Amino acid sequence: LIKEEDYAARPDLVLTGRTLFGAAPAKGQELEEHYFGAIRPTVNAFMKEVDDELWKLGIPAKTKHNEVAPSQHELAPIFEQGSLAIDDNLLTMEKLKLLATHHGLACLQHEKPFEYVNGSGKHDNWSLSADDQNLLEPGDEPEDNLQFLVFLSFLVAAVDEHADLLRASVASAGNDHRLGANEAPPAVISIFLGDELSPVVDALINDRSVRTPGRDEMDLGVPALPNIFRDNTDRNRTSPFAFTGNKFEFRMPGSSLSVADPNIVLNTAVAEALSDIYDALKDVPKENFDAELKKLLKELLDEHKKVLFNGNGYTDEWVAEAEKRGLYNLKSLPEAMPHLISEKSVELFTKHKVFTKSELESRYEIFLENYSKTVHIESLTMQDMVRKDFISGLVSYEKALTEEMSGKKAVLPSAKCTVETDVLSTLDTEADAIDAALTKLGEDTKKAESDVDVLHAATYYHDTILADMDELRGHVDAAEALIPEAYLPYPTYGELLFSLR
């Protein structure tokens, strides 16, 4: 959330949803006091109205709190049936943007509105129920809960088999900035089972008996307070797909995304895994059923155990290990989208009558075209802001410095003007670099405009245009850090992130 007038003063926020420039503020999220602090009065009034309006619509909003980055906040609902939850999430997004204006605020739902601080996403909590029973409820003794082990195993198989589709389902120009940036899960999809379930799976694979460790008691050190149980299912925030007690949490979706797409993929992949299990067991005699089922689960988990990982997903070591395991690392939308129309994907979706081949090809083209258009608009916006606004402020400040130095020397000929000279020299160097980077960005963007192959165009925008934009931004941000705010044409990060009360 930022002030509405600050939003209106930034063409990049208005046109693209994210800031294309901005020097790092002196303070970011390092102290984490915003995360653990109270919601500020202006924001609290807004979120109270959001609650009221959502409850009127029957949307069960429950939790609200500050998030890690300055001015970042979170809202969470009570669980609902899947398709209803998706609709309610879209309504929530509409209400957040609309009601923010009642309080003089703009609600940013871009995955990465600001550089240097965390972006934002959604957590898609998924489970499966039948006859009012949660099929992913492990119970007190998950190692003996055969029904739970069946559904756990097919979910592991489904995620491993179709990890590329899951990654494609959350791909967007905005989300690509967030995934793998040590603020969101990596682009490599893996499953976190935690300390309680991992031994069960290992024992099943290796034909061993096991007793789960259960939950540890935590002594709070205060005699007046009882010991509490440590939650051992949800401590790895770097995992993209984590078991969290009686459900799985898919943590890769971006904040502006409709979670319909990842749920379509997840539901279809699970249906395929269930279908395979059914086909393998449908003719097994009743007296042999449990033994054959356990044998099948052992084979299934052994085949797909490569997707199981409880460690730190942010490390370079995990990326290398994931490559050895044969896991996908699709870092961008252009890399991920061809998997949507692979032979395996077409067979999956057509078999279960979810999409036809033509519908998949249509979505493939639309996603790639939308990606290219998004980056194209960002490029043109960046060029406009530099040419029309930033350069004017830069030149005005250089002129003021030059006049200051001339005036000084007129009064005091021996004046060295060391500070002014150093600043002016640096700004002059950055100005030359800005001009060169701006020219390259403009020329490369014109080349991209003539590309009619949707995949080639999207790849070019990712590999070339975004790289050009990063180069230009680096020089603009370096210059901005030296220019007083009075000469800058737009609010700085300090104003955007820390002005709400």
Side-chain angles (χ1 to χ4, degrees), residues 92-106:
T92 299
M93 292 167 67
E94 288 187 16
K95 285 295 182 182
L96 285 169
K97 294 183 80 70
L98 173 66
L99 298 177
T101 64
H102 295 183
H103 301 266
L105 303 174

Side-chain angles (χ1 to χ4, degrees), residues 158-364:
V159 171
D160 181 36
E161 190 68 30
H162 300 288
D164 55 339
L165 279 179
L166 271 177
R167 170 65 183 94
S169 74
V170 298
S172 70
N175 211 24
D176 283 358
H177 294 295
R178 175 179 158 265
L179 296 178
N182 286 16
E183 62 193 62
V188 179
I189 290 183
S190 61
I191 297 177
F192 170 83
L193 293 182
D195 295 336
E196 187 172 5
L197 289 186
S198 293
V200 174
V201 170
D202 289 341
L204 195 56
I205 293 173
N206 297 303
D207 286 324
R208 294 198 310 261
S209 61
V210 67
R211 287 292 150 189
T212 57
R215 292 189 295 167
D216 298 331
E217 280 195 48
M218 297 173 61
D219 184 352
L220 299 180
V222 181
L225 295 176
N227 293 350
I228 62 173
F229 287 106
R230 185 193 308 274
D231 182 357
N232 58 13
T233 63
D234 186 26
R235 294 305 88 208
N236 189 336
R237 309 303 289 176
T238 72
S239 176
F241 205 87
F243 184 74
T244 55
N246 59 2
K247 56 186 170 57
F248 277 89
E249 187 172 58
F250 186 37
R251 296 171 174 154
M252 293 179 80
S255 52
S256 68
L257 181 79
S258 165
V259 287
D261 282 338
N263 280 285
I264 288 170
V265 171
L266 193 54
N267 291 345
T268 310
V270 165
E272 175 71 1
L274 274 173
S275 175
D276 291 342
I277 291 176
Y278 173 77
D279 289 342
L281 295 173
K282 63 182 179 181
D283 297 323
V284 174
K286 184 176 180 180
E287 60 272 18
N288 299 333
F289 186 82
D290 282 4
E292 287 298 314
L293 175 57
K294 289 181 180 179
K295 179 182 175 183
L296 176 63
L297 296 185
K298 168 184 164 58
E299 293 172 354
L300 202 62
L301 289 170
D302 192 41
E303 180 184 354
H304 297 287
K305 65 184 178 183
K306 66 179 183 294
V307 78
L308 302 177
F309 177 66
N310 287 346
N312 184 355
Y314 290 164
T315 65
D316 293 337
E317 289 78 11
W318 165 236
V319 174
E321 171 64 22
E323 185 176 359
K324 287 181 184 176
R325 295 188 187 191
L327 302 181
Y328 290 105
N329 186 11
L330 305 171
K331 297 179 181 179
S332 68
L333 183 145
E335 286 183 73
M337 210 45 62
H339 294 264
L340 186 64
I341 56 171
S342 68
E343 184 177 337
K344 183 180 76 169
S345 298
V346 171
E347 183 179 349
L348 171 72
F349 285 118
T350 55
K351 172 183 175 181
H352 294 281
K353 297 180 171 56
V354 177
F355 294 122
T356 65
K357 183 179 180 181
S358 295
E359 287 171 331
L360 287 170
E361 290 171 344
S362 174
R363 294 170 77 84
Y364 165 81

Side-chain angles (χ1 to χ4, degrees), residues 381-401:
T381 302
M382 176 177 264
Q383 293 176 60
D384 270 0
M385 288 180 69
V386 174
R387 286 197 185 98
K388 296 178 180 178
D389 300 321
F390 185 79
I391 287 178
S392 175
L394 170 61
V395 170
S396 294
Y397 183 51
E398 285 183 312
K399 179 182 177 183
L401 276 175

Side-chain angles (χ1 to χ4, degrees), residues 405-418:
M405 291 168 65
S406 298
K408 228 185 220 188
K409 286 183 178 290
V411 175
L412 186 63
S414 62
K416 295 180 179 179
C417 299
T418 305

